[in-house]
Amino acid sequence: MSAAIKFSEERLMKVLLAPVISEKATFVAEKNEQIVFKVLPDATKPEIKAAVELLFKVEVDSVQTANREGKQKRSGRFNGRRNHTKRAFVALKPGQEINFVEEAK
């Protein structure tokens, strides 16, 4: 876990916002053996890798990220937009697993 040494532990605790629990995220988890996280918009791939390794005590194989545009919304005559978000698709090394049910206890 040498990657965790390069970044401050305080920053790594803030990088991961939440796991994404959706139909698509479940499909990706089963098919590609990846876990989907919502992350800070300015988070980098090495930071995400170090944060997952630090928080869940697993070895990360690779990280892919995707920026999502916020949807345009209307409320009456006013136009608005939801915030942009960033997601990270984290692939674990073979034999590694994160169980969110057990982690929550």
Side-chain angles (χ1 to χ4, degrees):
M1 294 204 197
S2 61
I5 297 170
K6 296 179 192 172
F7 307 104
S8 73
E9 195 169 319
E10 184 179 346
R11 166 75 177 165
L12 294 181
M13 293 297 209
K14 296 177 184 175
V15 168
L16 300 179
L17 300 177
V20 176
I21 309 297
S22 67
E23 193 172 341
K24 182 178 180 181
T26 306
F27 178 75
V28 166
E30 290 172 1
K31 185 172 184 259
N32 301 337
E33 298 179 0
Q34 293 178 321
I35 295 125
V36 185
F37 290 100
K38 198 182 278 189
V39 296
L40 290 177
D42 62 341
T44 63
K45 289 181 182 183
E47 277 182 332
I48 295 166
K49 178 179 178 176
V52 171
E53 288 180 348
L54 176 74
L55 293 173
F56 298 105
K57 308 290 189 272
V58 293
E59 292 182 34
V60 174
D61 190 29
S62 66
V63 176
Q64 296 171 311
T65 59
N67 288 308
R68 301 182 70 200
E69 293 275 323
K71 287 185 177 180
Q72 295 288 332
K73 292 291 180 180
R74 283 179 58 127
S75 177
R77 63 183 179 155
F78 300 105
N79 286 326
R81 185 186 50 76
R82 291 185 181 165
N83 293 335
H84 299 313
T85 58
K86 186 173 191 175
R87 289 184 173 193
F89 297 83
V90 179
L92 301 178
K93 290 192 176 173
Q96 302 285 315
E97 186 178 295
I98 295 177
N99 189 347
F100 291 110
V101 177
E102 294 297 321
E103 297 287 335
K105 292 180 182 178

